[in-house]
Amino acid sequence: MKTRETNAKNPAHLDPVKYGIFFNKLDEAVNDSREVLKYLSGSVIVKEAGEALVAFYLPDGHAVDIATGLLMHFMNVTRCIQYMNQERYAEEGVGIYDGDQFMNNEAFIAGMHCPDTGCIAPVFYDGELQGYVAAVSHTTETGGIEPGGMCPSAVEAWHDGFHVPAIKIVERGTTRRDVWNMLLRSTRDPRTLELDLRARIAANERARQRILEIIDEVGVEFFQAACNRLVEEGNEFFQAKLGRLRPGIYKARIYSDTLGGIQAPKLAVEEVAMEITPDRRMIVKVPVVSPQQRCFNNAYLPAVEATLYYSLLTQLVYDGRWNSGMAKSIEIDVPSCSRLNADPTVSVGYATIGIAMNFCSMVTDCLSRAYYAAGIDEEVQAPPAGNLNCSINAGVDAAGMPFANILLSACLAVGGGGRTESDGFCNYHFYNPWQEVPDTEAEERLARVLHLCRSFMPDTGGHGKYRGGSAVVAITAQHGVAAAYPCSMGTGSRLPANQGIFGGYPSNVGYVSHLLNTNLYELTKQGILPLTDPSDFSEITKHVAGDFRRFETSAPTIPMKEGDIWTELSNGGGGLGDPLERDPELIVEDIKTKQATLRMAERVYHVSIDPQTLEIDYEKTEQLREETRKRRLSRGMEGKEYLKALVAKRESRSLPEPVLDYMDEISQFSPAFAEQLKAEEALLEKSLEPIKTAKVRQRLFKLTPYLDVVEDTGGNNIIVCSRCGFAYCDAGENFKYYSLIYDRDPAVFSPPALAMDKDFGIYREFYCPGCGCQTEVELTPEGTPILNSYENLSVNWKADGAS
Amino acid sequence: MPKESYIIYIDTGGTFTDAVVVGQDGNFVTGKADTTPDDLQISFFGAIGNAAEKMGKSVKDVVARASQIGYGTTFGTNMIVSGNSGPRLGFITTKGVENRLFQWRLRSAGIPKGEAMHMISSGHPAPLLPRELVLGVTERIDFRGDVVVPLQEDQVRTAVDKLVEAGVEGIGIGFLWSFLNDSHEKRAKEIVEEMVPDLLVAGSAEVTPVIKEYSRFTSLLIDLKIGKGLRNLLRRIETRLAELGYERPLLVMQAIGGTCQSKIVQPGTTLHSGPVGGMAGVKYFKELYGLKNAMGSDVGGTSFDVTVVPKTEVRFLRAPIVGRYEIGTPMCEIITIGSGGGTIAWIEKITNTLRLGPHSAGSTPGPVCYDAGGTEPTVTDADVVLGRIDPNFFFGGRRKLNKDKAIAAIKEKIAEPLGLDVYNAAEGICKIVDSAMGSLLKQAIAAKGIDPSQYTLLVFGGGGPPHGAGYSAGLGFEKVVIPSCASVFSAFGASTSDVTHRYETSPLITISKLPFSPITLRFELEKVGLADISSEAVSKFNAMFQALEERAYSETAMEGYASSQVMLKHEFLGRYGGQLWEIPISSPVSRIESDDDFRALISSFEKEYVKTYTKGAMVPAGGFEIISIAVTATVSTGKPVMVKRPYVGADASQALKETRQTYFEGSWQPTNIYAMDRLQVGNVVDGLAIIEAEDTTIFIPKDRRVTVDEYLNLMMEERQ
């Protein structure tokens, strides 16, 4: 096989007009082919939710241009091509020929979990390999131990279903029917598998033909140089964007509670350190992360890589070239055998929208902090929901027809994080800006259900000056089935997989419940349609009789019959800013639109609103808020005192059992975590006395909405409160140790039955000792070291073009 | 002149309102007026007045002698796109799904892909009504159309009371599965009518009886929102027309590709109806010239629309978007990209590359050369800089263009950053926009499995003729035609439309197993028969088609047409079992009564599927499904007659205005400039040349030749 040398041509001096024309054509080709993939698919998640990717790659695996739509897997294909190169596929034994197509669903090589299936086709021109086209989408059924490919009962990789590591399924244009038949035999739903495979093959063929036409038109030399140029531009663009951010390390931490549908919940931690270097590179490390577990909520490294890239594509280089060029300036370091870099033996069934999505939430947190510290407020948001919770319903319908499909009506309508000028969106996922939330009617027909309720759940957006987008609850009955076998996958039953930012709170927890042997149809005969109100979610048995069972957010496959009911809840986004600064008018609007309740608003936001007329008493509200600030000042512990108590609790093991389990495990597994514990002990030797008052010579930059980095008259760079001027500490130190700190039981701020489990996590609130404003809130297991979100920030940095 | 000698058509666009007055001899006069958004009636009559003036007549003279007056309006589209509030509406829906309209379906609907990728700033569309005016009532129908819980009428009454108290001016009723069983919606509507007799009220199945509640509910609310204002406007226009002596019904253009009498027009069908006029014109030309197939390319100030008129019937969009809303109302398939004359060229600073769009200078401030405050160079500016548009003959000289400002803008913003000469930069802008439009055409061709050598391309809109040669280059069309009325072609086309109604519903028929060959992947039709489909499915198919036909005859009867005048076309939307997206197929039968009927349906589906997606994409193992069926009723109306003119000769010298320098392929070259209105049948104009009409400019590159045909339309072809 003749392969061109990727960097052989000098792409710097291309005719700009011809180059523009070339790009238009290439972009149209991949987007057009994505439409083919979408329309021919048999999966709800592809057609109804828009999850379909088509892209063109260089022979070395670099993505040149990707179609808009599902962004999650474009780097997976890069890895797959690299694998094929490493395994010398072009040589005897496999061979890469014109008209071939390879299928991969092996997540350890190049994916996130088994259902994510890619077909990759080489593009030859005059016998020379020009690159590959790839079509990737999710297939609902992969023959795992439970229907659906995201098996909550899986504990090892082989439970996830069949593994196809870049196997040739079409050779020189002809389907390999023996391989094809093997694949169809490996799944419970061969019909959908075949539909989806045909769709990918057809999409690749469309893309291949159109790319050949482009080469015919522009000439092969120009085509190669232009492709290289596009990748270079991707990198140049990324570096230019990094040049707008203040160099330094930005850190975020998140916790996960879910192992699977059959295991008890267990705490895991993930901490990301995102370094932006002065020479415009990004180094993403996960210094602290829990070890891999025998469960379905682990991720292989390609999933983490894919998550980072889609997060950057939508949050940093959205206006650049959409390709893998930025990979040239990114380093990723994740400890082996951890929850985020598991070995190939463990299950990763839920990685995509579970633990890997937690990582996206942290990347957002880090990027938002970097944006704010660079003065780019409009790009800042609190972490969105760090997971998607969904169910799969499979079985045989009343007419004897088998069915299997994913239910996405609650899953996909999750909350985005609060922003600096407005609340978070609902229906928000960084991996697919073109996401669609399926219709009730489409789901009811395909999955044989009756949705009783699909509604926003009030008070689930993380509280803050600007709250997160709300979660959605789905209460669903089996309807028109002879037998059904649903399973549910999710996380966040004891503590949510996200955080707030700058004083905002994280979002809600959730759970799955089953109500079997119900009297649903007796009620409907009486003209009653029960459980249509989101508030019924937690009081289900008051409305319908049956055998109730509450699960965590994942539930294994449990047989159901007509009229049986299950409930699930997605997650909201994190809040941004001190809740005491929330405009009361926004609260009234939330009450009117049923995104919030007055009861919770009074508790969190300290507002005075007439329950009948919803009129706001501004004077009383200000008075209530002032009293709250004063209470913060009186109940908050000084940093040193808090730290002493924290260390003492760890030493005496006066911590809840789940926390002790996790601390013991992570202390052994993660040297970085052990270092953090030691560092806090060492801090006790310091006075940790705040500076308190300082004369400011000049403000250097805003670190957060409540904290400025300034130069005092003595030439020292220090952190001060932007509201009252209280001086915390030197700019290089963690201001949190100089704050007032208060541990809050999260149940106080949670809707009924959705209280976080304080044995798993508490709200650690940080107040300004001067004025009582809430600067940060950590959702954290008690006893965990205080996070330093900023390290080695370049104080005197100026943005590109700044004078 | 005898009475009833004109066909008049008015097209209200965002900037201009166009009028076409066609005489019995096929000659036509065009008129233009600035659109008056506050009262569209003014520009409606202003445009007619402008045409009448050219004819030396009064508005009354022209209107009173019209045999037919049609109207295409952006009233509804503008109202929805601009967020203009319309009447305050309430919505009564199935309890439990009150939030459906606020969970959105496609979060990035209606915004360019670059904006969608920047998720933090690309918000949701504004809600069509406040959440507190959405009330749920107990009722439930399931996916089979069976009643699970009967409508609780007392709850409907309570909801109506609440909404009326909240001051609503209209109520929409949208229940789940109402397209399969509309009994609850109908009863709820009756209750509203009983309680508040004059209140505006409609049910979702009545407006758009198709599956997927989000778009069905959205269609209903948009219909109610624009309905009142649109009906008022139409009523006022009709009154004025009657005063002027026109007593026939006013016909209104619909997005489904035909007109409808104003008294029964469903408001939602007028959305995006403007470009559909162009499609009707393409269809008219196809018949006029006896073409096998035709495509239209319409370049306006801000958009480039592509329409396909194949051998069989036009296609309808399955998920049309108006503004930021996905709707269920059927619309002719028109592919739009944001490339028009006003498209802004810019340099992406980080990579220093030339980009075009998606932003447009629109009509205000417009291109830099308009000298109305625009600072960003556009495609029109590039045309002026290159000498393709004469700055002193824009709109026939009515608008003077500032060429110096265009040069300065392109120099500063494009040429200097790229290190190019200003003229090379301007030519680059034109080439890139031509390529973007060419790519769209190519995409349309590929997606529909079209062989361009079998298609004629029509180039129209004010911005089409300057770039038609560029964007059609290399695509291999059989012919390229530039109509003599290119700049008002949509209005002209609309005047050729028939009265059309389209009715659709969803029977959801599944035939899960049919014999097929594993080698050819085709169904083995000889083994297929009525035994393979349930009798319930057959009854549903037949009964639903019959119900649609009855509705078609009843509504056309209300318009005064006898059933013998009505032509019905039947269509179904089919797919392989397990697929989630269906393709439209012209139905060979309207009833399934024999094995052959059933085979014919399957066979027609297979043929269309292979044509669209190739044989390799066939997946017969899951059987076959009929998701929706549709009936289109057409009543032929009077049409303009284009008269053939006698051949004069190839020599076009009588139309030669001047020879001036234009910039082409990197150098200034002498270019013959011809006057469109002086060209005669048979004249041949070889490139490099420009033909100037009052409201557009036809650019003919060196490798093209234009011949004036017997209708004075221009045929462009490659020079041998």
Side-chain angles (χ1 to χ4, degrees):
Chain A
M1 184 184 70
K2 231 169 99 187
T3 307
R4 72 187 181 84
E5 286 189 25
T6 307
N7 295 310
K9 308 291 183 291
N10 174 8
H13 299 104
L14 294 169
D15 173 349
V17 173
K18 193 171 174 185
Y19 181 59
I21 294 169
F22 153 81
F23 175 72
N24 282 343
K25 295 193 173 185
L26 182 64
D27 200 46
E28 287 289 351
V30 289
N31 278 288
D32 176 35
S33 306
R34 176 185 176 262
E35 294 299 293
V36 173
L37 172 58
K38 194 173 145 186
Y39 291 145
L40 293 185
S41 168
S43 292
V44 172
I45 199 167
V46 180
K47 172 59 203 69
E48 289 296 306
E51 296 200 0
L53 169 81
V54 172
F56 178 62
Y57 294 82
L58 294 177
D60 67 358
H62 262 302
V64 178
D65 188 39
I66 63 177
T68 51
L70 179 67
L71 308 171
M72 200 177 250
H73 304 300
F74 82 98
M75 285 302 290
N76 294 158
V77 178
T78 296
R79 284 211 170 229
C80 190
I81 294 169
Q82 288 168 349
Y83 168 84
M84 289 162 67
N85 290 341
Q86 282 155 15
E87 293 290 315
R88 296 158 66 174
Y89 266 39
E91 298 174 21
E92 197 176 354
V94 185
I96 298 176
Y97 311 114
D98 202 358
D100 282 359
Q101 299 231 17
F102 296 84
M103 168 184 162
N104 181 73
N105 83 329
E106 173 50 72
F108 190 72
I109 295 171
M112 300 185 88
H113 60 175
C114 278
D116 294 332
T117 309
C119 286
I120 299 173
V123 179
F124 284 89
Y125 188 84
D126 279 348
E128 184 186 12
L129 181 68
Q130 301 300 320
Y132 296 86
V133 288
V136 188
S137 59
H138 180 109
T139 289
T140 304
E141 219 310 290
T142 57
I145 55 166
E146 286 162 308
M150 293 189 275
C151 316
S153 305
V155 297
E156 54 184 43
W158 298 276
H159 293 166
D160 289 345
F162 58 77
H163 293 254
V164 179
I167 283 174
K168 192 184 288 189
I169 54 170
V170 177
E171 185 160 80
R172 301 178 206 259
T174 302
T175 303
R176 291 186 59 187
R177 286 169 55 203
D178 50 348
V179 177
W180 198 269
N181 290 338
M182 179 197 74
L183 292 168
L184 298 188
R185 181 65 185 93
S186 308
T187 171
R188 295 175 181 86
D189 186 6
R191 184 175 78 167
T192 307
L193 185 81
E194 183 170 28
L195 282 167
D196 286 354
L197 275 177
R198 292 272 180 216
R200 292 184 204 103
I201 288 168
N204 276 345
E205 189 50 28
R206 170 80 56 89
R208 196 177 70 87
Q209 287 299 339
R210 294 201 59 189
I211 286 167
L212 290 178
E213 286 167 15
I214 295 169
I215 302 176
D216 272 340
E217 198 173 321
V218 301
V220 70
E221 280 210 6
F222 184 92
F223 177 83
Q224 292 174 356
C227 286
N228 290 338
R229 178 75 196 123
L230 275 176
V231 175
E232 281 303 322
E233 279 184 11
N235 187 35
E236 286 168 20
F237 206 90
F238 177 68
Q239 288 195 322
K241 281 295 183 90
L242 287 188
R244 296 172 63 204
L245 301 179
R246 184 178 300 277
I249 300 173
Y250 302 88
K251 292 169 82 173
R253 222 187 256 161
I254 204 166
Y255 301 90
S256 173
D257 58 6
T258 301
L259 294 180
I262 54 174
Q263 304 94 331
K266 177 182 170 70
L267 270 168
V269 61
E270 301 165 57
E271 182 180 305
V272 165
M274 176 186 283
E275 181 176 3
I276 292 160
T277 69
D279 63 348
R280 302 179 180 195
R281 287 177 301 116
M282 178 181 276
I283 301 166
V284 178
K285 292 183 178 168
V286 186
V288 177
V289 56
S290 295
Q292 67 187 37
Q293 300 291 324
R294 281 176 58 79
C295 72
F296 83 147
N297 196 17
N298 302 288
Y300 301 143
L301 190 58
V304 173
E305 179 186 71
T307 304
L308 175 65
Y309 280 76
Y310 76 65
S311 304
L312 294 174
L313 211 51
T314 42
Q315 295 183 68
L316 191 67
V317 290
Y318 46 81
D319 49 353
R321 296 298 192 195
W322 301 342
N323 61 33
S324 65
M326 59 183 154
K328 297 181 177 189
S329 302
I330 295 176
E331 290 171 37
I332 303 177
D333 182 7
V334 187
S336 306
C337 297
S338 66
R339 293 287 287 272
L340 289 175
N341 187 3
D343 71 38
T345 65
V346 301
S347 164
V348 293
Y350 185 49
T352 328
I353 52 174
I355 201 126
M357 204 171 210
N358 301 171
F359 180 73
C360 167
S361 201
M362 282 187 293
V363 168
T364 306
D365 193 330
C366 294
L367 271 175
S368 287
R369 290 180 187 280
Y371 270 129
Y372 202 92
I376 308 171
D377 303 7
E378 66 276 14
E379 300 283 0
V380 172
Q381 62 186 311
N387 58 298
L388 298 181
N389 298 347
C390 61
S391 293
I392 286 165
N393 199 30
V396 179
D397 73 10
M401 284 285 295
F403 65 89
N405 243 307
I406 193 165
L407 292 170
L408 297 165
S409 50
C411 162
L412 293 182
V414 297
R419 296 168 286 166
T420 50
E421 297 291 335
S422 48
D423 292 338
F425 293 117
C426 61
N427 179 6
Y428 199 78
H429 327 89
F430 281 124
Y431 66 80
N432 188 4
W434 287 265
Q435 191 85 58
E436 298 181 31
V437 177
D439 279 294
T440 311
E441 289 171 352
E443 278 199 349
E444 291 192 348
R445 180 164 183 271
L446 292 163
R448 299 297 191 255
V449 293
L450 192 79
H451 282 297
L452 299 167
C453 175
R454 50 179 297 190
S455 181
F456 291 120
M457 190 76 182
D459 302 324
T460 50
H463 310 302
K465 179 179 181 182
Y466 292 106
R467 64 163 174 80
S470 300
V472 167
V473 58
I475 307 179
T476 309
Q478 299 288 354
H479 184 72
V481 300
Y485 305 92
C487 60
S488 300
M489 51 242 40
T491 189
S493 59
R494 303 301 176 102
L495 78 178
N498 80 349
Q499 295 278 1
I501 197 169
F502 304 151
Y505 290 93
S507 65
N508 60 298
V509 295
Y511 62 88
V512 172
S513 75
H514 287 184
L515 191 65
L516 308 181
N517 307 312
T518 73
N519 64 340
L520 175 66
Y521 291 112
E522 287 168 31
L523 294 170
T524 57
K525 276 180 199 155
Q526 296 165 30
I528 298 168
L529 185 66
L531 305 173
T532 53
D533 193 306
S535 60
D536 298 343
F537 175 73
S538 59
E539 299 183 314
I540 192 162
T541 49
K542 279 192 184 170
H543 305 275
V544 182
D547 304 326
F548 180 79
R549 184 172 169 192
R550 178 173 165 154
F551 296 84
E552 305 293 329
T553 39
S554 292
T557 300
I558 288 179
M560 281 193 179
K561 60 178 187 304
E562 187 88 340
D564 288 349
I565 292 169
W566 80 102
T567 63
E568 60 185 334
L569 182 68
S570 68
N571 286 79
L576 182 145
D578 185 348
L580 294 188
E581 295 189 355
R582 185 162 179 78
D583 183 343
E585 284 186 20
L586 290 177
I587 296 168
V588 168
E589 185 61 23
D590 280 350
I591 294 168
K592 283 184 182 170
T593 58
K594 300 185 189 293
Q595 308 266 356
T597 60
L598 179 57
R599 183 171 151 267
M600 190 61 68
E602 286 171 340
R603 198 180 293 174
V604 178
Y605 295 107
H606 300 276
V607 282
S608 175
I609 294 172
D610 185 298
Q612 301 304 320
T613 63
L614 296 184
E615 268 182 42
I616 302 160
D617 183 338
Y618 285 96
E619 204 174 312
K620 181 85 186 295
T621 297
E622 196 35 58
Q623 190 189 330
L624 289 170
R625 290 180 168 186
E626 196 46 47
E627 284 167 9
T628 306
R629 286 188 193 96
K630 281 182 186 155
R631 265 202 307 280
R632 287 173 175 175
L633 292 174
S634 62
R635 75 183 168 208
M637 289 168 76
E638 286 183 3
K640 173 112 184 193
E641 195 186 339
Y642 183 89
L643 193 58
K644 264 188 207 161
L646 186 65
V647 171
K649 272 186 202 170
R650 291 200 291 252
E651 282 174 353
S652 64
R653 297 181 66 80
S654 310
L655 293 166
E657 202 58 36
V659 175
L660 288 174
D661 280 353
Y662 126 85
M663 294 271 281
D664 290 346
E665 182 184 68
I666 189 70
S667 302
Q668 283 195 357
F669 182 73
S670 167
F673 188 82
E675 281 300 314
Q676 288 181 8
L677 296 177
K678 278 187 196 160
E680 279 201 340
E681 284 166 28
L683 266 182
L684 289 178
E685 305 300 318
K686 291 184 69 177
S687 77
L688 297 184
E689 189 62 32
I691 300 168
K692 291 183 183 166
T693 55
K695 286 188 177 166
V696 176
R697 178 182 290 162
Q698 61 167 333
R699 199 181 80 172
L700 297 170
F701 65 93
K702 286 184 79 64
L703 185 66
T704 81
Y706 306 107
L707 299 168
D708 291 347
V709 175
V710 301
E711 183 189 344
D712 70 10
T713 47
N716 303 307
N717 296 331
I718 60 169
I719 297 173
V720 300
C721 174
S722 56
R723 305 295 153 107
C724 69
F726 179 85
Y728 284 80
C729 55
D730 283 347
E733 291 184 275
N734 185 355
F735 72 90
K736 288 178 181 169
Y737 291 122
Y738 300 88
S739 304
L740 295 177
I741 309 173
Y742 175 71
D743 285 353
R744 184 186 294 277
D745 179 351
V748 180
F749 286 175
S750 303
L754 292 179
M756 272 173 53
D757 184 342
K758 67 178 177 359
D759 285 355
F760 277 69
I762 48 136
Y763 292 153
R764 185 182 277 161
E765 299 174 353
F766 298 90
Y767 311 135
C768 169
C771 61
C773 76
Q774 184 165 293
T775 56
E776 294 284 356
V777 176
E778 286 182 2
L779 164 60
T780 180
E782 221 181 330
T784 303
I786 291 171
L787 176 71
N788 185 6
S789 302
Y790 306 94
E791 286 179 13
N792 302 329
L793 292 202
S794 170
V795 171
N796 296 313
W797 166 87
K798 292 262 185 282
D800 281 358
S803 55
Chain B
M1 187 175 277
K3 193 168 160 51
E4 296 191 355
S5 56
Y6 301 123
I7 292 174
I8 302 175
Y9 194 84
I10 315 299
D11 182 26
T12 297
T15 313
F16 294 113
T17 297
D18 296 335
V20 179
V21 180
V22 189
Q24 275 182 327
D25 57 359
N27 286 318
F28 56 84
V29 179
T30 62
K32 261 188 194 297
D34 288 334
T35 293
T36 47
D38 293 338
D39 184 0
L40 296 177
Q41 186 191 203
I42 297 170
S43 44
F44 180 97
F45 288 101
I48 299 178
N50 181 243
E53 194 182 325
K54 290 182 189 171
M55 297 160 74
K57 295 181 186 297
S58 69
V59 173
K60 189 174 169 61
D61 285 343
V62 175
V63 168
R65 294 186 179 192
S67 60
Q68 189 173 304
I69 299 181
Y71 183 36
T73 180
T74 53
F75 175 87
T77 311
N78 287 349
M79 193 164 168
I80 297 305
V81 170
S82 67
N84 195 338
S85 57
R88 183 173 166 83
L89 297 178
F91 184 53
I92 296 175
T93 190
T94 305
K95 209 163 172 32
V97 296
E98 295 93 332
N99 279 311
R100 182 63 188 104
L101 286 168
F102 305 89
Q103 289 169 348
W104 314 113
R105 189 172 149 72
L106 173 61
R107 74 179 306 281
S108 52
I111 51 175
K113 62 182 188 178
E115 283 180 29
M117 189 69 111
H118 190 200
M119 292 178 72
I120 190 172
S121 70
S122 59
H124 295 304
L128 286 165
L129 75 176
R131 170 65 183 84
E132 58 266 32
L133 296 182
V134 178
L135 299 176
V137 297
T138 299
E139 69 81 38
R140 196 62 155 90
I141 288 164
D142 70 6
F143 62 86
R144 294 166 293 209
D146 296 338
V147 174
V148 179
V149 181
L151 179 69
Q152 303 300 296
E153 298 189 3
D154 54 330
Q155 293 187 23
V156 177
R157 290 194 178 87
T158 308
V160 174
D161 279 338
K162 278 188 187 167
L163 292 175
V164 169
E165 196 185 318
V168 301
E169 298 160 84
I171 293 179
I173 301 161
F175 294 144
L176 292 175
W177 298 103
S178 60
F179 67 96
L180 277 185
N181 178 346
D182 63 356
S183 58
H184 288 181
E185 277 190 2
K186 276 185 170 162
R187 179 61 197 134
K189 184 180 171 185
E190 282 170 12
I191 292 171
V192 177
E193 285 169 342
E194 283 162 23
M195 292 176 68
V196 203
D198 295 329
L199 196 72
L200 191 63
V201 59
S204 71
E206 170 189 355
V207 172
T208 327
V210 293
I211 188 169
K212 294 186 183 174
E213 77 277 3
Y214 179 83
S215 46
R216 193 171 70 244
F217 294 171
T218 305
S219 272
L220 164 70
L221 291 172
I222 286 180
D223 206 71
L224 288 170
K225 235 173 204 320
I226 64 176
K228 198 172 174 185
L230 181 69
R231 290 205 173 90
N232 277 343
L233 171 68
L234 296 175
R235 207 172 297 127
R236 283 185 294 116
I237 289 175
E238 278 175 322
T239 305
R240 179 72 188 129
L241 287 173
E243 286 166 10
L244 293 168
Y246 177 76
E247 285 162 2
R248 291 171 177 245
L250 174 67
L251 298 176
V252 180
M253 192 69 192
Q254 308 169 99
I256 55 165
T259 56
C260 169
Q261 288 186 9
S262 61
K263 64 182 174 190
I264 66 158
V265 70
Q266 188 189 307
T269 64
T270 66
L271 296 167
H272 282 196
S273 59
V276 175
M279 176 182 259
V282 174
K283 201 172 159 196
Y284 178 83
F285 267 51
K286 181 180 159 231
E287 282 158 18
L288 179 72
Y289 286 99
L291 304 171
K292 282 177 283 190
N293 309 288
M295 283 181 84
S297 56
D298 179 359
V299 186
T302 55
S303 66
F304 176 56
D305 298 325
V306 175
T307 56
V308 180
V309 182
K311 267 185 202 160
T312 53
E313 273 317 290
V314 293
R315 293 267 175 91
F316 294 93
L317 284 173
R318 300 302 307 152
I321 291 172
V322 173
R324 299 285 319 273
Y325 309 98
E326 281 183 287
I327 61 170
T329 316
M331 287 184 172
C332 279
E333 187 170 7
I334 291 173
I335 306 159
T336 298
I337 57 165
S339 285
T343 302
I344 289 172
W346 54 285
I347 296 295
E348 194 291 293
K349 285 184 180 154
I350 291 172
T351 55
N352 202 39
T353 48
L354 174 57
R355 309 266 185 103
L356 272 163
H359 297 295
S360 166
S363 55
T364 312
V368 179
C369 61
Y370 280 20
D371 213 356
T375 55
E376 304 304 318
T378 65
V379 174
T380 299
D381 290 312
D383 285 330
V384 171
V385 169
L386 297 172
R388 294 179 189 176
I389 290 177
D390 180 351
N392 297 314
F393 194 69
F394 195 65
F395 282 114
R398 291 200 301 277
R399 176 177 252 157
K400 300 286 179 203
L401 301 181
N402 190 328
K403 185 174 179 178
D404 292 342
K405 281 200 170 169
I407 290 174
I410 291 179
K411 189 175 177 194
E412 181 200 335
K413 305 227 163 159
I414 308 292
E416 285 175 354
L418 286 179
L420 290 176
D421 167 65
V422 65
Y423 301 105
N424 280 331
E427 194 166 27
I429 291 170
C430 288
K431 283 188 172 175
I432 288 181
V433 81
D434 288 353
S435 88
M437 293 192 278
S439 288
L440 177 75
L441 271 174
K442 197 161 193 170
Q443 185 183 338
I445 289 166
K448 297 182 186 320
I450 287 169
D451 173 4
S453 68
Q454 304 291 308
Y455 269 74
T456 295
L457 178 72
L458 271 81
V459 171
F460 53 90
H467 294 275
Y471 64 71
S472 65
L475 296 183
F477 282 102
E478 186 186 26
K479 270 185 209 167
V480 174
V481 178
I482 302 165
S484 55
C485 55
S487 74
V488 293
F489 189 73
S490 289
F492 170 81
S495 74
T496 70
S497 297
D498 291 324
V499 167
T500 305
H501 300 277
R502 183 180 158 85
Y503 309 94
E504 187 173 329
T505 192
S506 304
L508 305 178
I509 293 170
T510 297
I511 304 120
S512 55
K513 267 191 180 171
L514 286 171
F516 68 94
S517 157
I519 309 298
T520 65
L521 298 178
R522 287 187 183 275
F523 290 120
E524 293 175 318
L525 290 178
E526 66 282 4
K527 296 181 188 167
V528 171
L530 285 178
D532 295 303
I533 180 171
S534 71
S535 55
E536 292 82 13
V538 169
S539 305
K540 193 154 54 166
F541 181 91
N542 293 346
M544 281 183 151
F545 257 138
Q546 186 176 345
L548 294 185
E549 288 165 4
E550 284 168 2
R551 188 168 169 201
Y553 285 126
S554 144
E555 288 199 356
T556 46
M558 281 167 63
E559 290 177 300
Y561 302 113
S563 60
S564 58
Q565 291 174 272
V566 181
M567 197 172 78
L568 299 185
K569 282 185 181 154
H570 299 80
E571 188 184 300
F572 71 91
L573 298 167
R575 66 191 187 194
Y576 284 113
Q579 285 184 328
L580 301 172
W581 188 252
E582 47 282 351
I583 56 169
I585 298 115
S586 181
S587 186
V589 296
S590 60
R591 303 287 186 279
I592 303 173
E593 287 167 346
S594 67
D595 291 345
D596 282 346
D597 291 340
F598 186 43
R599 286 177 197 142
L601 282 174
I602 297 170
S603 172
S604 61
F605 163 73
E606 267 189 341
K607 275 184 197 152
E608 191 61 34
Y609 186 90
V610 170
K611 205 168 103 188
T612 310
Y613 294 118
T614 76
K615 194 171 156 278
M618 293 171 84
V619 272
F624 166 60
E625 294 181 347
I626 297 172
I627 302 304
S628 294
I629 58 171
V631 168
T632 304
T634 310
V635 180
S636 186
T637 56
K639 296 202 174 31
V641 180
M642 291 196 97
V643 184
K644 285 188 183 182
R645 289 172 169 73
Y647 178 80
V648 177
D651 181 10
S653 57
Q654 81 287 346
L656 185 64
K657 285 172 74 175
E658 60 171 327
T659 299
R660 69 165 185 255
Q661 298 286 316
T662 65
Y663 195 83
F664 181 69
E665 296 295 353
S667 66
W668 289 100
Q669 303 195 28
T671 307
N672 288 335
I673 313 295
Y674 295 87
M676 177 83 175
D677 55 4
R678 302 212 300 261
L679 287 172
Q680 294 177 325
V681 177
N683 284 181
V684 174
V685 177
D686 284 336
L688 192 59
I690 283 170
I691 298 173
E692 288 180 345
E694 192 180 315
D695 39 19
T696 190
T697 299
I698 298 138
F699 176 67
I700 309 164
K702 265 193 175 159
D703 61 349
R704 301 292 180 98
R705 161 175 289 181
V706 159
T707 307
V708 183
D709 78 355
E710 62 269 36
Y711 301 108
L712 295 178
N713 297 318
L714 309 181
M715 301 288 157
M716 187 184 277
E717 60 196 343
E718 283 184 27
R719 283 171 75 178
Q720 297 304 312

